[in-house]
Amino acid sequence: MEPAVKEAKVSVAEPAVKEEKVSVAVPAVKKKDEKVFVAVPAEPRAGQSTLLWALAHLYSSRATTIVLTHVHVPPQMIPIMGVKFHVSKMSADQVRLFRMAERQQVEEMLDDYIHRCSEIKVPFTWSLRVKCEKLVIENEDVASGLIELIRLHGITKLVIAAAADKQYSKKLNKPVSKTATEIMQRADPSCKIWFVCKEKLICVRDKEVQIAPSAAVGQEVARLPFHHKEDDIKMEMGFDHELEEARKALEDLMSRALKESCRRQKADEEVAASLQKAKVYEELYLEEVRKREDLEAALARADREIAQLRRAFGQRNTPTECKL
């Protein structure tokens, strides 16, 4: 008889699986700084109204940066000792030193703008300090320089003066200055441009030109297509031709004035040299006169001494002859 086999059940404890929740911190997306470029002239007072409008209407938070933009036009006539000379008539070192001094003046002017900007109180952001940067470019033409900056820096917001403050009127509804007009025509359409005058918005160019309501009293905001008629283009070409002729005439006049100035300067130098020679000759003549006077005085003394000797000799001989 076989012994009974007992079956033993072995239970294997399975390890408990613990579920853990892993939290990954996702960094917050930082809002990109918004830059508003403000075109300013060389004189801070002339650009103050444009800057004030930009601060009051386009500066809203710490993410906004005002970029003071200036196009420096190097002058072709350099003043020296009260006379202006063309850069072509001067050495490269002289022109370089003059350009360095000019650039320093431009930097100081923009620093003055930044100082004024830091003192301005912006509505709704009294506790915020205005963030400012400066951007300078050299170009022979202000409009061309600004258009180049728009292309190089991808500027999308630009504030510029439509006209001088003294030209402001309620009927003003488009740029008057040549620079602003040219920028409206040639600037990249991706750049939105605000044209202001005397702290008033005149119009906005955003693919289409929008006239500000204040400039069109009693009418709705009008939209003007961004193009010009052929007559206007012909008129502008004629005006450019007249400007070119006037520029050539002015250069010719300046060239003749420079030649005349050089001729007069040379004549003045010759006169000064002649006066110096005359002074030398006069001193030589006076020296000769003094020598002659000294010689004549010496001869007179010699004559007196000879006469005294003769008298003394005559007195000695007289008694001897009497004794004989």
Side-chain angles (χ1 to χ4, degrees):
M1 183 175 179
E2 295 180 0
V5 180
K6 292 183 179 180
E7 294 181 358
K9 292 183 179 180
V10 180
S11 63
V12 179
E14 295 181 358
V17 179
K18 184 184 290 185
E19 295 182 359
E20 295 182 357
K21 294 182 179 180
V22 180
S23 60
V24 179
V26 179
V29 179
K30 186 178 180 181
K31 187 179 179 180
K32 186 178 179 181
D33 287 352
E34 180 184 42
K35 291 189 175 182
V36 178
F37 292 76
V38 182
V40 293
E43 177 58 39
R45 292 182 179 178
Q48 186 172 357
S49 61
T50 306
L51 179 58
L52 287 173
W53 186 91
L55 290 173
H57 295 84
L58 301 180
Y59 189 85
S60 57
S61 65
R62 292 184 184 275
T64 306
T65 302
I66 299 295
V67 183
L68 300 172
T69 309
H70 177 71
V71 179
H72 175 60
V73 181
Q76 298 300 308
M77 302 300 294
I78 298 178
I80 297 179
M81 301 295 290
V83 180
K84 291 186 177 181
F85 296 92
H86 195 270
V87 291
S88 60
K89 305 295 182 181
M90 304 182 66
S91 65
D93 290 338
Q94 289 176 325
V95 176
R96 180 176 58 82
L97 291 174
F98 184 78
R99 294 285 185 253
M100 288 176 59
E102 277 187 329
R103 187 59 183 249
Q104 181 65 29
Q105 291 179 356
V106 171
E107 293 292 337
E108 292 176 356
M109 175 269 297
L110 289 177
D111 289 339
D112 188 16
Y113 268 112
I114 292 177
H115 177 69
R116 290 170 180 263
C117 193
S118 63
E119 293 180 343
I120 294 173
K121 294 182 178 180
V122 182
F124 309 110
T125 59
W126 305 111
S127 60
L128 298 181
R129 184 176 181 181
V130 178
K131 292 194 298 183
C132 289
E133 296 178 1
K134 54 185 178 181
L135 180 62
V136 183
I137 189 174
E138 287 190 1
N139 199 295
E140 299 297 329
D141 180 67
V142 177
S144 299
L146 286 173
I147 293 169
E148 183 179 357
L149 285 176
I150 292 172
R151 179 180 58 83
L152 292 176
H153 295 269
I155 298 174
T156 58
K157 292 185 177 182
L158 176 67
V159 182
I160 187 173
D165 288 349
K166 63 182 179 180
Q167 293 179 302
Y168 173 77
S169 67
K170 292 183 178 180
K171 296 181 180 180
L172 187 65
N173 58 8
K174 63 180 180 179
V176 175
S177 69
K178 181 183 177 182
T179 299
T181 303
E182 190 171 352
I183 290 174
M184 174 182 280
Q185 297 171 3
R186 295 172 52 195
D188 194 290
S190 62
C191 180
K192 187 174 183 179
I193 307 175
W194 289 265
F195 296 92
V196 300
C197 182
K198 204 173 182 180
E199 298 186 47
K200 303 289 184 181
L201 178 62
I202 304 303
C203 63
V204 181
R205 199 217 71 170
D206 187 8
K207 295 184 180 180
E208 291 183 347
V209 180
Q210 303 177 16
I211 302 176
S214 60
V217 180
Q219 298 180 1
E220 295 182 356
V221 177
R223 293 180 176 268
L224 303 177
F226 188 57
H227 68 278
H228 291 270
K229 295 181 180 179
E230 293 183 359
D231 294 341
D232 294 337
I233 296 175
K234 291 180 180 179
M235 184 182 299
E236 290 180 1
M237 291 178 62
F239 182 67
D240 291 340
H241 178 69
E242 292 179 359
L243 284 178
E244 182 66 19
E245 292 294 331
R247 185 185 64 80
K248 290 181 180 180
L250 181 61
E251 287 184 353
D252 181 62
L253 181 62
M254 293 300 296
S255 177
R256 286 185 292 172
L258 179 61
K259 290 180 181 179
E260 179 66 18
S261 176
C262 293
R263 187 187 66 79
R264 290 187 179 183
Q265 185 177 1
K266 186 177 180 181
D268 292 340
E269 291 175 354
E270 292 177 354
V271 170
S274 300
L275 291 175
Q276 184 67 23
K277 289 182 180 179
K279 186 176 181 180
V280 172
Y281 292 150
E282 183 181 5
E283 291 178 353
L284 292 175
Y285 171 75
L286 293 176
E287 183 66 20
E288 290 297 327
V289 170
R290 285 195 294 271
K291 289 181 180 180
R292 183 174 180 179
E293 290 177 351
D294 294 341
L295 182 60
E296 289 178 351
L299 288 174
R301 286 196 301 271
D303 290 340
R304 288 195 297 271
E305 291 176 356
I306 292 172
Q308 290 177 358
L309 291 173
R310 284 179 178 177
R311 286 195 298 271
F313 183 75
Q315 290 177 359
R316 287 181 181 179
N317 292 336
T318 300
T320 305
E321 291 176 357
C322 292
K323 290 180 180 181
L324 293 174

